[in-house]
Amino acid sequence: MGCVCSNENAERDKNLREHKVLVLGTAGSGKSTIFKSLKETEGKEMIEPRMIVQTTWKIRQTLLEFMKWLIKHSQSLYETDKEKNIDCLIDETTEISTNIQSLMKTPEFVFTENEELSEEDLITLGKTIAYLWKLPSIQATFAKRIQFANEMNMEYFYERAIDIMHPKYFATKEDLLKARVRTTGQDFIYVFMYLFYIHKKVNCLLRLVDIGGLRHGQKTWIDHREDLSTVLFVVALNHYNCVLFEDNTKNAMHEALATFFLFLGTILFLNKRDLFREQLRKVPLSVCFRAVTNFEYVRNDREEEQWKGMNYNPKESEHEQHFERCYNQALEFIRNLFQSRQRGKIFSCYVTCATDQDNISRVFWDVTMLVGKNNLKDML
Ligand SMILES: Nc1nc2c(ncn2[C@@H]2O[C@H](COP(=O)(O)OP(=O)(O)OP(=O)(O)O)[C@@H](O)[C@H]2O)c(=O)[nH]1
Ligand SMILES: [Mg+2]
């Protein structure tokens, strides 16, 4: 593979034939993160300075907002079932109450261009958030929350709350990859590659287009069919245990399955494998693919769409090997489900971690070869 080009480079290479690749997937599946990883891998500036500042504000704001939500949610969880959720009840010590009051009185809109907290207040807020995050009742509430598909990597950011609320902090490369900034308009990048075909060097320019994954964005997917070389569909594996932001009665992986049939012959990225591994140790796949859940069925009538595989049990002897078997079975099950939606069309599947630039770089080498080869006739 050659390199990811900026827009100007693409302009310069006007002779190259462009191949359009639509990057689709439900909100929060990781499309923008793949773009960021790709740009960074090829030594380009991942994001311009303005975006670094905006992402810094966004991370701070999300930490504050979400902590407020956790505090309120701990109380409502407790009230819903006092016995079961006793671990969510926050102790009423003076220290805890003072910290909660201090957090609650800080408005979220202070993280903008015009409104900034004083340096002193920002540092205090960092300490407050770090303190509250460590409370066992907040940890219990966090573990029991309904997970929304578009959450950013909250644990990663909360662990660093003090650094993040320091006046000199700016989002690092890793933070930029792990933060969530929803795509509202259309985004695109170019990938340049060359292949050798019958001893001839063939140049190829891929134009990757991301049109956002929220439901109103999905409605426009089909309008982008024209001049399409292929579709790269991104599914977040950990979404088996998440609900949609737009509709919290809908499981996010069900939504992904329901939209996957739109384009046949798709390249599939089963993304967020790191988060999937973490989740699978705690929550079995049956929350998504069995009758005993609150979630509706994917396909009520089809037996094979119910998870009957092994669930991880840490009490097993040799539990790490046992976990690997559970993990592989779960992956295979999900892969087969998506394959079944492609009505026999050949499709390629990669298990990815979009925040891992090496992984994306390696996988993408394969993808560009695949797209290039499929379009060789056009290129020669
Ligand atoms: N840990 C981990 N986090 C990921 C991975 N891929 C994406 N994320 C995180 O998931 C969140 C959502 O990712 P995005 O790339 O913004 O999702 P998107 O598909 O572009 O979402 P829309 O723009 O709403 O369509 C971000 O906080 C990312 O950092 C992954 O493989 N591992
Ligand atoms: Mg996006």
Side-chain angles (χ1 to χ4, degrees):
M1 190 171 80
C3 64
V4 175
C5 304
S6 68
N7 295 359
E8 305 106 68
N9 289 342
E11 273 293 310
R12 212 175 50 210
D13 291 323
K14 279 207 168 94
N15 300 332
L16 280 176
R17 174 87 198 275
E18 199 176 289
H19 295 274
K20 183 164 125 190
V21 179
L22 265 189
V23 183
L24 302 180
T26 50
S29 54
K31 302 176 294 296
S32 302
T33 314
I34 290 170
F35 277 29
K36 288 184 210 166
S37 266
L38 269 174
K39 286 184 197 170
E40 186 60 23
T41 303
E42 303 297 341
K44 302 284 170 212
E45 278 291 305
M46 175 166 31
I47 243 165
E48 61 273 24
R50 172 102 195 118
M51 277 304 287
I52 295 177
V53 173
Q54 282 174 343
T55 308
T56 302
W57 289 334
K58 179 77 189 163
I59 294 168
R60 284 177 174 161
Q61 185 190 333
T62 309
L63 286 188
L64 175 60
E65 264 174 11
F66 197 66
M67 185 54 75
K68 285 185 179 179
W69 183 86
L70 280 173
I71 288 166
K72 287 182 193 144
H73 198 56
S74 65
Q75 187 64 28
S76 55
L77 268 180
Y78 172 69
E79 274 158 20
T80 317
D81 190 334
K82 293 193 170 133
E83 211 174 305
K84 202 169 122 208
N85 296 326
I86 183 76
D87 52 350
C88 298
L89 185 65
I90 301 176
D91 291 339
E92 285 185 12
T93 66
T94 318
E95 193 182 7
I96 293 178
S97 303
T98 312
N99 275 290
I100 292 181
Q101 277 165 17
S102 154
L103 181 97
M104 290 301 188
K105 73 175 194 316
T106 314
E108 287 97 55
F109 55 79
V110 286
F111 302 114
T112 64
E113 206 148 16
N114 306 324
E115 297 267 353
E116 275 283 0
L117 279 183
S118 71
E119 292 198 352
E120 202 182 319
D121 285 349
L122 193 61
I123 291 170
T124 308
L125 182 62
K127 287 183 187 157
T128 303
I129 290 177
Y131 172 84
L132 293 170
W133 173 245
K134 291 220 156 37
L135 292 179
S137 45
I138 291 295
Q139 288 291 321
T141 306
F142 183 75
K144 288 183 189 177
R145 78 203 185 282
I146 298 176
Q147 294 198 34
F148 285 98
N150 64 349
E151 246 178 45
M152 59 164 79
N153 291 280
M154 297 311 299
E155 281 156 300
Y156 167 81
F157 288 111
Y158 273 124
E159 292 299 334
R160 301 172 52 240
I162 289 183
D163 292 345
I164 289 170
M165 295 297 179
H166 192 276
K168 294 210 162 51
Y169 163 83
F170 281 105
T172 63
K173 277 181 187 167
E174 187 171 1
D175 298 347
L176 290 169
L177 284 169
K178 292 197 165 160
R180 164 143 180 84
V181 181
R182 191 180 304 149
T183 310
T184 43
Q186 214 181 86
D187 194 10
F188 63 90
I189 54 169
Y190 285 101
V191 175
F192 171 69
M193 62 168 289
Y194 54 86
L195 307 167
F196 284 96
Y197 186 68
I198 323 179
H199 307 301
K200 195 173 166 185
K201 191 174 169 197
V202 185
N203 291 328
C204 168
L205 187 68
L206 303 188
R207 183 172 194 258
L208 304 185
V209 185
D210 169 8
I211 36 186
L214 283 176
R215 276 186 173 166
H216 61 83
Q218 288 175 26
K219 285 189 188 130
T220 69
W221 287 359
I222 210 81
D223 304 333
H224 294 261
R225 270 172 308 180
E226 227 168 276
D227 308 324
L228 196 59
S229 291
T230 194
V231 169
L232 196 161
F233 197 90
V234 187
V235 175
L237 284 162
N238 69 328
H239 280 186
Y240 81 90
N241 189 32
C242 293
V243 294
L244 292 183
F245 173 70
E246 309 98 299
D247 174 2
N248 69 11
T249 63
K250 183 88 184 170
N251 174 275
M253 191 168 280
H254 292 184
E255 177 89 349
L257 269 165
T259 47
F260 188 59
F261 70 94
L262 285 174
F263 297 92
L264 298 181
T266 306
I267 298 171
L268 178 67
F269 274 20
L270 293 178
N271 188 39
K272 301 200 185 183
R273 64 175 187 197
D274 56 329
L275 299 179
F276 182 57
R277 283 181 79 88
E278 278 171 31
Q279 278 291 302
L280 215 55
R281 287 183 190 274
K282 301 175 205 149
V283 185
L285 210 54
S286 47
V287 297
C288 182
F289 298 114
R290 234 172 88 195
V292 288
T293 72
N294 295 329
F295 299 133
E296 66 199 68
Y297 270 118
V298 181
R299 292 273 289 273
N300 228 349
D301 51 329
R302 291 180 59 171
E303 264 282 296
E304 70 273 21
E305 300 209 344
Q306 295 182 32
W307 169 247
K308 296 193 185 96
M310 265 193 291
N311 290 323
Y312 175 60
N313 177 3
K315 293 195 186 97
E316 286 273 330
S317 61
E318 297 183 335
H319 62 96
E320 272 315 298
Q321 279 143 302
H322 167 61
F323 177 74
E324 286 307 321
R325 283 197 293 276
C326 298
Y327 171 78
N328 289 327
Q329 270 193 19
L331 256 187
E332 192 57 16
F333 175 82
I334 293 172
R335 206 190 90 91
N336 287 341
L337 273 184
F338 279 92
Q339 169 106 66
S340 71
R341 298 299 191 275
Q342 289 283 293
R343 286 175 261 151
K345 273 272 183 182
I346 296 172
F347 99 135
S348 311
C349 177
Y350 300 89
V351 180
T352 58
C353 175
T355 52
D356 176 348
Q357 291 163 3
D358 289 344
N359 172 250
I360 290 302
S361 165
R362 259 180 279 122
V363 166
F364 228 80
W365 195 86
D366 257 27
V367 168
T368 43
M369 291 294 276
L370 200 73
V371 176
K373 277 187 181 147
N374 286 344
N375 294 285
L376 267 177
K377 272 194 234 103
D378 300 343
M379 286 189 279
L380 286 171

